[in-house]
Amino acid sequence: MKEFKDIVAHAKEYGFIFPSSEIYDGLQAVYDYGQNGVELKNNLKQAWWKAMNQLHDNIVGIDSAIFMHPTIWKASGHIDSFNDPMIDNKDSKKRYRADNLIEDRASEYEAKGDFTKSETLLAEMNRLLEASDLKGLQELIISENITCPVSKTANWTEVRQFNLMFSTQVGSVAEDSTTLYLRPETAQGIFVNFLNVQKTGRMKVPFGIAQIGKAFRNEIVARQFIFRMREFEQMEMQYFVRPGTELQWYEYWKTTRFRFHKALGLPEEDLKFHVHEKLAHYANAAVDIEYRFPFGFKEMEGIHSRTDFDLKSHQEYSKKKQQYFDNDLDENGKAYGNYVPFVVETSVGADRLFLAVLCNAFTQESVQDGDQVKDRTYLNLHPALAPVKVAICPIVKKDGLAELGTRIYKELKSEFMATYDEKDSIGKRYTRQDLIGTPYCVAIDYQTIEDQTVTIRHRNSTQQERVTLEELKTILRETTSLSTLLNSM
RNA sequence: GCGAAAGUAGCUCAGCUGGUAGAGCGCGACCUUGCCAAGGUCGAGGUCGCGGGUUCGAACCCCGUCUUUCGCUCCA
């Protein structure tokens, strides 16, 4: 039985994920990647990067800054929609958006035919929202005698502002400083570089820009280990297309991205699409790829048809045209000409993908050993993703086997992430490698001295085979390289 | 943010009605060892999450706080 707490404990015990600042009691919803975690994560990021930029002729990458001009967040809609005034009912313990409560009351007036009262109320609410008058909002809720739908009481807390973007000051003198936000998504860095990349890369629509980077959200409740963190990493690709073709490309990316996750080793039955019923302000179609985490099916990747909302909005706010001239001919033989491209976005949480892969790899099984049944735990990671590819283990230290093992290890390590281990019994060493997902252990024994052959022990089956050093290298090259993984998509 | 539970060695945990900390595994050194968590010897490691209070005396009782888990809530 795969218990989530066992996976979390395993992640810490074997150097994958540590709580941030642990010796100071930790910092809520922030985690560090350990020596094995960073290797696995880097491999995942590289797999994604290559699947985008290397496998697609018309996708290129960028790496934009975390700090961006504050107006970008006005244009993107984050300043408005990431700021929610919240109020709690003390009796039912339920939390509501203060503006929603007032809007509901306005609808009730309208239902009764009292449009004047409704309009006055909404106008007053908007005035208070504009002025960020939280006290006023609370007074309005009380004076309207709005009650909690659950407890039916008006026993409210104060209205509090939940800003989901982190802000910081730039400039040493307080009065001259500017408030900057830590980006809540990496997508905007792509949108504002759309023309730079298109022009300098001579890109033709359709084309994509990919980016991997940190993003920050001040989540009210951050939970479930690294699933929802305040600082997290996104892998986003914005695909710019001719208006009217966006839904075709949306379908293309849906299937392409699904294949990617399967290639990483996530089983099809643990993956599913979840189509959004309620669309965000910028989208005309949206779907999530969900993975069956131990705590249920949850979003891992989002694929959104974002229309021309973002580029148009930046055009408006920046007063710089965000147009593309399309020389291709339409069915009437006329060039498509100038337009603002539509965008299909694929956005994966790197940490969520990491968690999905880790949960999937975590394997506990009972194996027959003579007439005993023993428990065995290992990480069934794709060899291309495993932090360590091969462990070199001399069967004993004496009689020159340690020296021979060291020599073989040195020969392999420039090409493969390898490790050398001569401590403890061979079985214990195999187990240590199983626990971090190393696909191969190579035993050096007396026969190695005679004929330069070694035995490879396979992680999943625990079966061994005897091969020459050259054969060993071939096996490692063929199975542990990312191109193997990319070819399976 | 609300409610509930938990926090003792790297891990899993024991520690009675309050009397100043233990086990197993793991870790390090050495010895032994010919293939799936072997054995021996020695050793390192804890101001019992943190702060305050009650008490002659607190891991244990009380208050606060931090962190984690679960349930609500939130998730452009």
Side-chain angles (χ1 to χ4, degrees), chain A residues 171-306:
Chain A
S172 51
V173 186
E175 304 87 76
D176 296 341
S177 70
T178 311
T179 298
L180 290 191
Y181 296 100
L182 271 59
R183 62 182 179 196
E185 63 174 25
T186 54
Q188 298 305 323
I190 293 176
F191 292 129
V192 299
N193 278 301
F194 156 69
L195 277 182
N196 279 341
V197 173
Q198 191 272 318
K199 286 182 173 162
T200 59
R202 297 161 47 242
M203 310 302 287
K204 290 185 118 177
V205 165
F207 73 94
I209 305 177
Q211 166 159 239
I212 299 176
K214 287 281 177 88
F216 305 83
R217 291 181 202 182
N218 195 5
E219 301 283 355
I220 299 168
V221 176
R223 283 269 183 87
Q224 270 145 348
F225 196 41
I226 59 169
F227 184 81
R228 177 161 292 134
M229 293 192 288
R230 298 219 160 94
E231 173 181 343
F232 59 103
E233 199 154 19
Q234 290 185 313
M235 306 193 287
E236 295 199 306
M237 192 279 301
Q238 314 291 329
Y239 205 65
F240 299 91
V241 306
R242 185 180 297 150
T245 64
E246 70 275 9
L247 292 177
Q248 268 160 258
W249 286 112
Y250 170 77
E251 290 302 324
Y252 168 83
W253 283 110
K254 255 176 85 170
T255 51
T256 305
R257 294 305 305 149
F258 198 85
R259 276 212 302 274
F260 174 84
H261 296 295
K262 281 204 301 186
L264 296 185
L266 300 177
E268 188 156 2
E269 63 268 25
D270 291 335
L271 293 168
K272 72 171 187 194
F273 288 115
H274 175 250
V275 178
H276 288 213
E277 305 293 335
K278 214 177 84 187
L279 293 170
H281 58 277
Y282 51 71
N284 69 358
V287 68
D288 292 340
I289 298 178
E290 296 188 335
Y291 171 75
R292 193 202 306 268
F293 288 97
F295 42 86
F297 268 107
K298 291 275 156 95
E299 175 185 0
M300 189 166 60
E301 170 152 10
I303 296 156
H304 301 154
S305 176
R306 290 180 76 127

